[in-house]
Amino acid sequence: MPACQTGEKVHLLSASRTILEPDCAITLTPSPLSNALNLASQTYLENGARLLQARGTIPIISTALRPAFAAATLPLLADILNLAEVYASISGQTSLRIRLERITGDSCRKFHVDYVTLRLLRTYQGPGVQWKSAGSEQVHNAASGDIVFLKGRKFPNWCENLGILHRSPPLSSLPAAQRVRLLLTIDTADACLCGAEHEATAMIQQ
């Protein structure tokens, strides 16, 4: 996906708005990375912070995140901000939390539903999120680049009958060279804040 150009953004908005329907708990839009975005995300994975997180409106987040991106990784920052705009349009929220993380272990190994309203996931490098229907043993895998929206337990009128569980893909069983992911997560700003103020914050962990 070439950094969410106008046509791609319109398509993504149209495809992802299905998540707002009462009987829909997940949407997935296949979005292969452009050459520029693939190179930028690989470079960031090798040289960027292990964890990058910011909260606030998109302009404030943009200002907070910019120092963490070298020139070679700016296509990645542009894609993150474009996806933030998509998320804001679909969720109706203007204050967001953005989290970019290098993952090297089996985090979130159990299938679960997040305690959030609405979550966007995009894995830039490595295997994507896994999900399944409750009571089913069939596991589905998102490809690298796919853009996934998931309803959480705090979504209005959410109920157990929606029945979609997800988890991070186990990495320990993969060859050593493949045991790494670069994952983007976008939520509303109150995710994991337990009611704290929606002030803009930025955190970088090397």
Side-chain angles (χ1 to χ4, degrees), residues 25-182:
I26 183 172
T27 64
L28 182 151
T29 305
S31 304
L33 303 185
S34 67
N35 290 336
L37 182 54
N38 185 47
L39 179 59
S41 59
Q42 286 180 344
T43 302
Y44 185 92
L45 186 62
E46 295 169 359
N47 304 306
R50 181 187 67 80
L51 175 63
L52 183 62
Q53 183 170 289
R55 301 178 194 267
T57 62
I58 294 174
I60 291 174
I61 287 174
S62 176
T63 299
L65 293 185
R66 178 61 184 82
F69 289 83
T73 64
L74 287 179
L76 175 60
L77 176 60
D79 188 74
I80 290 170
L81 296 175
N82 275 309
L83 289 176
E85 292 178 1
V86 170
Y87 179 94
S89 177
I90 290 174
S91 67
Q93 300 294 315
T94 58
S95 190
L96 313 178
R97 181 189 76 160
I98 288 180
R99 181 181 177 95
L100 184 66
E101 184 175 10
R102 181 172 69 245
I103 300 172
T104 56
D106 291 345
S107 62
C108 298
R109 293 179 295 178
K110 296 182 178 180
F111 283 100
H112 64 283
V113 178
D114 294 310
Y115 194 68
V116 297
T117 305
L118 184 66
R119 174 160 287 178
L120 182 153
L121 298 172
R122 189 179 201 188
T123 304
Y124 290 104
Q125 298 292 325
V129 65
Q130 295 182 333
W131 78 95
K132 68 173 185 175
S133 298
S136 172
E137 296 302 317
Q138 183 178 7
V139 177
H140 304 272
N141 297 270
S144 179
D146 288 352
I147 298 168
V148 179
F149 275 88
L150 285 160
K151 278 179 181 170
R153 294 182 181 275
K154 292 175 67 176
F155 194 89
N157 301 315
W158 184 89
C159 64
E160 295 286 348
N161 291 336
L162 286 174
I164 295 294
L165 309 175
H166 70 278
R167 71 176 182 185
S168 296
L171 299 180
S172 59
S173 61
L174 298 176
Q178 300 177 26
R179 295 176 194 166
V180 62
R181 305 171 66 213
L182 183 61

Side-chain angles (χ1 to χ4, degrees), residues 175-191:
Q178 300 177 26
R179 295 176 194 166
V180 62
R181 305 171 66 213
L182 183 61
L183 175 67
L184 171 69
T185 304
I186 302 180
D187 298 298
T188 54
D190 61 348

Side-chain angles (χ1 to χ4, degrees), residues 191-204:
C192 304
L193 276 181
C194 300
E197 293 294 328
H198 296 187
E199 296 178 352
T201 61
M203 177 179 69
I204 301 174

